[in-house]
Amino acid sequence: MSVAPGEAVKGRGAAHESLRARLHLHAVLPGLQDVVAEDAEMAALVAGTRLTVQFRVAGGPAAAVCFADGRCTVRPLDDRAAVGESSSLSPGHEGGGTVTLFFTSAAQLNRMFDGRGGTPIPLRGFGKLGFMQREFTKLTERLSYYLKPTPELFADPDYLAMNTRLMLTTAAFAVPILLEYDPVAAGFRRIFDGGSIALTVLPDGPSVGLVLSPQRIVAVKGGIDAPTALIRMRDVHIASAFLNGTLDTFAAVACGDVEISGQLRKVDALGLVLERVPVYLS
Amino acid sequence: MQTYSFAGSQALFKRAASVIPCGIYGHFSPAPLVPPTSYPFFAVSGKGSHFIDVDGNDFIDYMCAYGPMVLGYNDPVVDEAARRQAEKGDTLMGASPLMVDLAERLVELIPFADWAFFAKNGGDMTTYATMIARAATGRAKIVAIEGGYHGVAAWMQGPGHHGVVPQDTENVVRIPWNDAVAFERVLEEEPGRIAGFISTPYQHLTFADNELPAEGYWQRIREFCDRHGVVLILDDVRAGFRLDLRGSNECFGFRPDLACYCKAIANGYPISAIVGRGELKSDAAGVFYTGSYWFQAVPMAAALACIDELQRRDAPAYMADYGRRLTDGMKRIADAHGHDLKVTGPPQMPYLRLTDDESTMLHQRLCAECTRRGAYLTSHHNWLVSCAHTDEDLERTLAIVEEAFTVLDEEGGT
């Protein structure tokens, strides 16, 4: 039995839409960094671009996607997103122009991310709308391509690696947001009171981490030193199954396909928090 | 010292994982064992304080099957009582006379108990207890302790766990352990809506130091329950008959209205029990509650024999003495290696951790190295000792612990 995409969110209120918008901006959109960094065609597409694209939701979250020096960086602009901020999301390379896309509601932004309309109102940067219609659209389409696998696509090792990288990033960056705003995940918040959790795909990455404190949880891309809880997945296939929710995790841990050590209470709670991602992102 | 290999366990687990969710589910899941490759997954036999795994490795068991083993595996007295009953019959068309004997035995043994009722698992009894409390009070809500474990039914699990919907837990109010003021506040905020208060006699969470009740805590809880007409439910499933044969509450100077027992009641034979005050007997009778195997006579025979043996051997005192000598010895070894090994909880069920190890990874390695040498220790859960643990076991265990610390030293873990 399965639920059709989007079915899970029908009938949900403004809080649900707001949380989805935060996830879209602060957990999904950062995937553009990887798309530019790892996909040569996309890197070439923005090689000479120096531009900042701001996404702003009325009374809600905001984020900036910055293109400069052949790189893409994504960072939150709203104060309330601080809990989901990544230390790797260095300040953007503003300059060269800014496009501001305004959404009158979180639901409008979510419709855009769902590919169901939601066209924003451009408030600034009218001269750059051509970039938005051509290059930026191609970028987001490629991000969407990597995030929506089919069995055939999974057979391609490069696709599998990219999907896993993006899913790992999305998962890590979703955690602070869910712990802050999702009523069920918030019940686990006090478990994440200190230390750090590292998630690594063996043998060579990618890796992400969560740095924890009672006040703030920070998701980071890349490895972290001396984590107090460690999750290591044997290879990209195991990681993909883990992140896509098709792995019997308990059996995988026992078999050694997923290694866990350190503060297991946090590892256990992290798994339950990540179970909340599909509630908002189909 | 020879270290064990677990090829047989791992091969069998692969077969298990292909046909059984989790491979091995629940509290026997190897997932919290770090690393799993240092632990046996399947046991084939046991005798006294030892069990043998599928690879033929022999372990001194400090988890005691997570509690049911209290006199020792294959205890001859209990097994003989069970065998004799098995020859006569087990599940028959009618309750066994032994059920009456066992109920009378528990009522005689447990000072506050006026009646007893039997099932299979601890969770059967904790759920029944909440139903009795609701029937008796006409109220819906149950107050429980944050993180407190009372079984696996949906109401006992927290929101966000698989298969649990918000409605399952909406009538459960969680408060911190050792916080009578929080309980009083809930009673004031929910006047006339609290049916029961359920708690273990002390806080024995996993992954955390165990905490004994503060001075006067249980007495205040009792007082608030009496004042507000709330049923006081003691979940003595894990600690029962290990701390005190009259019920663990006797250690802490209070008497509940209902108490649930399971693990140590029959030395591994499947039976659980609830006992209660006379005032709740008609409410218990009014709740329809039963199970296909709840009238098995063999576990009842085993329970009667087990309780007699626990009394004859003064089991709580024996286990407390062994537990103290075990943990004192381990602390001395840890000290000598430059570590602080913290021991919490009663000596019959100690929880240990290295305080100089925030991540717990060192403690996990210590437990794994001990297990690979034949002393089965886990890092996430309180340990349990039994009446079958001997001085020879203790000496062997401490030698293993010494070598395990030495290995950690050599590997740079200390």
Side-chain angles (χ1 to χ4, degrees):
Chain A
M1 187 180 294
S2 63
V3 177
E7 192 71 21
V9 302
K10 277 181 186 170
R12 303 286 174 85
H16 186 91
E17 292 290 350
S18 176
L19 202 162
R20 290 191 74 218
R22 289 182 193 284
L23 290 172
H24 280 136
L25 290 185
H26 303 318
V28 177
L29 202 58
L32 286 177
Q33 299 169 123
D34 291 313
V35 171
V36 171
E38 304 291 331
D39 186 317
E41 185 185 343
M42 294 299 106
L45 198 65
V46 298
T49 303
R50 193 170 187 82
L51 179 69
T52 297
V53 181
Q54 294 183 349
F55 293 76
R56 291 190 177 276
V57 175
V65 182
C66 306
F67 299 95
D69 306 324
R71 291 200 309 139
C72 170
T73 54
V74 181
R75 64 190 176 92
L77 295 174
D78 50 313
D79 290 341
R80 295 291 288 165
V83 74
E85 185 179 307
S86 162
S87 63
S88 73
L89 296 182
S90 53
H93 303 270
E94 282 91 341
T98 298
V99 175
T100 300
L101 303 177
F102 181 74
F103 299 84
T104 57
S105 68
Q108 184 189 11
L109 178 127
N110 295 332
R111 282 197 297 277
M112 187 194 75
F113 272 83
D114 292 341
R116 297 184 290 115
T119 306
I121 303 164
L123 293 184
R124 190 176 165 196
F126 295 100
K128 302 292 183 182
L129 290 181
F131 172 83
M132 297 305 297
Q133 287 168 349
R134 293 187 306 273
E135 288 87 347
F136 195 79
T137 299
K138 280 187 181 172
L139 270 180
T140 55
E141 285 174 351
R142 187 61 60 96
L143 175 62
S144 179
Y145 162 79
Y146 283 127
L147 286 173
K148 292 180 178 173
T150 64
E152 293 74 26
L153 287 171
F154 264 154
D156 174 359
D158 293 335
Y159 181 92
L160 179 66
M162 191 63 183
N163 172 267
T164 303
R165 177 182 292 276
L166 292 170
M167 291 288 286
L168 191 65
T169 301
T170 301
F173 284 79
V175 169
I177 298 165
L178 291 166
L179 287 172
E180 177 86 2
Y181 296 103
D182 174 61
V184 173
F188 302 110
R189 176 64 179 87
R190 63 194 167 81
I191 295 173
F192 298 90
D193 55 352
S196 56
I197 306 173
L199 294 93
T200 298
V201 182
L202 297 174
D204 302 316
S207 299
V208 294
L210 292 159
V211 181
L212 317 172
S213 74
Q215 297 78 30
R216 181 180 170 88
I217 293 175
V218 178
V220 296
K221 292 180 69 176
I224 51 177
D225 293 333
T228 58
L230 183 61
I231 303 172
R232 297 200 298 186
M233 291 158 273
R234 182 188 294 280
D235 56 34
V236 70
H237 297 281
I238 294 295
S240 176
F242 175 78
L243 292 164
N244 284 290
T246 58
L247 188 70
D248 181 340
T249 310
F250 283 89
V253 169
C255 289
D257 289 337
V258 176
E259 292 176 40
I260 58 173
S261 61
Q263 297 172 327
L264 299 192
R265 193 160 178 243
K266 291 187 171 74
V267 172
D268 188 36
L270 177 63
L272 294 170
V273 172
L274 292 178
E275 292 288 337
R276 301 296 296 170
V277 174
V279 173
Y280 300 96
L281 301 177
S282 44
Chain B
M1 205 175 278
Q2 186 192 350
T3 54
Y4 294 162
S5 66
F6 303 101
S9 267
Q10 285 154 17
L12 191 54
F13 188 86
K14 286 193 187 328
R15 282 175 53 200
S18 68
V19 290
I20 301 169
C22 300
I24 303 171
Y25 41 80
H27 61 292
F28 274 174
S29 166
L33 307 174
V34 182
T37 48
S38 290
Y39 282 86
F41 300 161
F42 297 92
V44 293
S45 65
K47 185 64 187 169
S49 59
H50 291 236
F51 74 91
I52 308 290
D53 74 355
V54 289
D55 290 283
N57 302 313
D58 182 344
F59 298 89
I60 305 167
D61 184 6
Y62 288 105
M63 294 308 295
C64 295
Y66 285 86
M69 189 276 271
V70 64
L71 292 169
Y73 293 114
N74 286 343
D75 179 79
V77 175
V78 175
D79 286 1
E80 175 59 17
R83 188 193 61 74
R84 282 200 308 270
Q85 180 57 43
E87 284 179 357
K88 297 177 193 169
D90 191 8
T91 297
L92 302 169
M93 186 52 250
S96 168
L98 293 178
M99 183 173 75
V100 184
D101 295 341
L102 183 56
E104 289 174 345
R105 189 75 174 88
L106 290 179
V107 166
E108 171 193 74
L109 184 67
I110 299 166
F112 84 93
D114 295 312
W115 53 267
F117 182 105
F118 305 102
K120 287 290 129 189
N121 290 294
D124 299 333
M125 300 289 63
T126 52
T127 289
Y128 186 39
T130 62
M131 295 173 76
I132 295 169
R134 286 169 173 148
T137 62
R139 305 169 185 171
K141 292 189 182 258
I142 302 294
V143 176
I145 303 299
E146 288 172 359
Y149 177 79
H150 303 293
V152 293
W155 74 266
M156 303 164 184
Q157 302 198 32
H161 288 78
H162 292 250
V164 178
V165 298
Q167 290 81 358
D168 288 325
T169 54
E170 66 188 9
N171 283 318
V172 179
V173 181
R174 297 274 180 177
I175 62 170
W177 165 252
N178 255 342
D179 192 345
V181 173
F183 183 44
E184 187 178 27
R185 194 179 310 125
V186 170
L187 292 168
E188 288 167 357
E189 290 170 357
E190 306 261 7
R193 289 197 284 273
I194 305 300
F197 173 89
I198 187 168
S199 173
T200 53
Y202 69 98
Q203 182 80 320
H204 46 59
L205 304 182
T206 51
F207 303 113
D209 291 346
N210 288 187
E211 293 181 64
L212 297 180
E215 185 72 30
Y217 167 74
W218 272 117
Q219 289 68 34
R220 292 192 72 194
I221 295 291
R222 177 73 269 179
E223 178 192 335
F224 292 143
C225 285
D226 289 343
R227 190 185 306 164
H228 293 269
V230 173
V231 177
L232 176 46
I233 303 163
L234 180 69
D235 177 348
D236 213 5
V237 168
R238 193 186 302 178
F241 301 105
R242 271 194 158 82
L243 271 56
D244 192 310
L245 296 181
R246 300 167 300 167
S248 303
N249 53 288
E250 296 294 328
C251 299
F252 304 118
F254 75 102
R255 296 214 166 136
D257 300 313
L258 299 168
C260 308
Y261 303 100
C262 181
K263 291 184 183 293
I265 197 171
N267 202 44
Y269 287 85
I271 187 168
S272 59
I274 185 170
V275 301
R277 286 193 300 112
E279 294 90 324
L280 293 170
K281 187 161 170 282
S282 61
D283 297 300
V287 176
F288 182 69
Y289 208 57
T290 189
S292 297
Y293 298 98
W294 290 10
F295 297 92
Q296 273 187 290
V298 168
M300 291 174 181
L304 283 161
C306 181
I307 291 167
D308 285 349
E309 277 298 281
L310 289 169
Q311 270 195 318
R312 188 181 68 78
R313 297 195 207 178
D314 194 7
Y318 181 91
M319 289 186 279
D321 176 63
Y322 187 95
R324 272 189 210 99
R325 289 190 289 142
L326 172 69
T327 53
D328 287 351
M330 289 188 68
K331 275 179 71 68
R332 277 196 299 273
I333 294 168
D335 285 346
H337 286 267
H339 292 287
D340 176 40
L341 190 60
K342 185 177 183 183
V343 181
T344 55
Q348 298 94 330
M349 304 166 55
Y351 180 85
L352 289 85
R353 72 177 172 91
L354 293 165
T355 61
D356 48 326
D357 173 28
E358 183 199 357
S359 74
T360 74
M361 289 180 190
L362 190 62
H363 189 57
Q364 287 163 347
R365 287 172 59 198
L366 173 67
C367 291
E369 291 298 337
C370 289
T371 300
R372 293 175 65 216
R373 287 164 175 78
Y376 189 95
L377 303 175
T378 68
S379 58
H380 67 292
H381 191 285
N382 68 266
W383 302 345
L384 298 111
V385 296
S386 75
C387 293
H389 285 89
T390 64
D391 287 350
E392 188 182 335
D393 290 332
L394 184 62
E395 188 180 339
R396 172 74 180 158
T397 302
L398 295 180
I400 286 171
V401 171
E402 170 64 44
E403 182 165 302
F405 268 114
T406 301
V407 168
L408 297 188
D409 288 344
E410 290 168 358
E411 291 179 353
T414 61

